[in-house]
Amino acid sequence: MPIELNNREFMWIRRALKNARECLEDQNYRGALLELKKPMKRMESQPISTRLQALCQITQADAWHAMQKPKEELKCLKAADAIFAKLQDESEEAVQIRKRIAEIIAKEKAAGSR
């Protein structure tokens, strides 16, 4: 049975997310992915999806986007979208995610039709 996060783990994950975002600002994209590797693994065992998980997925997608890896970016965006859908979250982030997914799919279709 999955164990829920305690406050210490929650703060650890928030700190990792903050560090990952700072890495993105510094254009250290691999560093951002490494910052989130262990927290993402820990959150996968969670019984309930959280907004924090979605924000981590979005940060990973931003790193993949900067590294020009659209397949990995799309995978992270779809995971974030699924979490937002479970939470019935219609925030600005959720709307932006759906737009980004549509843009990537459109680009892939356009590239595939050439």
Side-chain angles (χ1 to χ4, degrees):
M1 178 159 182
I3 300 169
E4 292 190 32
L5 292 175
N6 60 38
N7 284 341
R8 176 179 272 160
E9 288 176 312
F10 182 77
M11 295 307 292
W12 167 65
I13 293 169
R14 285 195 51 200
R15 195 172 327 112
L17 180 60
K18 180 180 177 275
N19 291 342
R21 287 182 175 165
E22 288 173 1
C23 285
L24 287 177
E25 289 174 9
D26 296 339
Q27 297 181 349
N28 179 5
Y29 309 119
R30 291 195 190 282
L33 294 172
L34 287 173
E35 284 287 343
L36 293 173
K37 187 175 183 176
K38 285 183 182 178
M40 291 301 296
K41 189 168 237 164
R42 175 64 181 99
M43 286 189 291
E44 285 174 1
S45 66
Q46 285 297 100
I48 299 170
S49 296
T50 64
R51 185 170 170 75
L52 184 59
Q53 280 178 298
L55 295 175
C56 287
Q57 289 286 357
I58 292 168
T59 304
Q60 284 184 320
D62 290 343
W64 288 121
H65 176 78
M67 293 169 55
Q68 298 179 350
K69 304 274 187 172
K71 289 183 183 178
E72 288 84 356
E73 178 187 4
L74 185 60
K75 181 179 162 186
C76 291
L77 291 174
K78 285 183 176 180
D81 187 42
I83 292 168
F84 282 135
K86 282 182 193 174
L87 298 174
Q88 298 178 343
D89 187 332
E90 291 300 322
S91 64
E92 182 64 29
E93 290 103 342
V95 172
Q96 291 299 321
I97 293 302
R98 291 185 196 110
K99 286 181 183 176
R100 282 177 64 183
I101 290 170
E103 288 172 7
I104 293 170
I105 291 172
K107 285 180 185 176
E108 285 181 354
K109 284 183 180 178
S113 65
R114 291 181 186 168

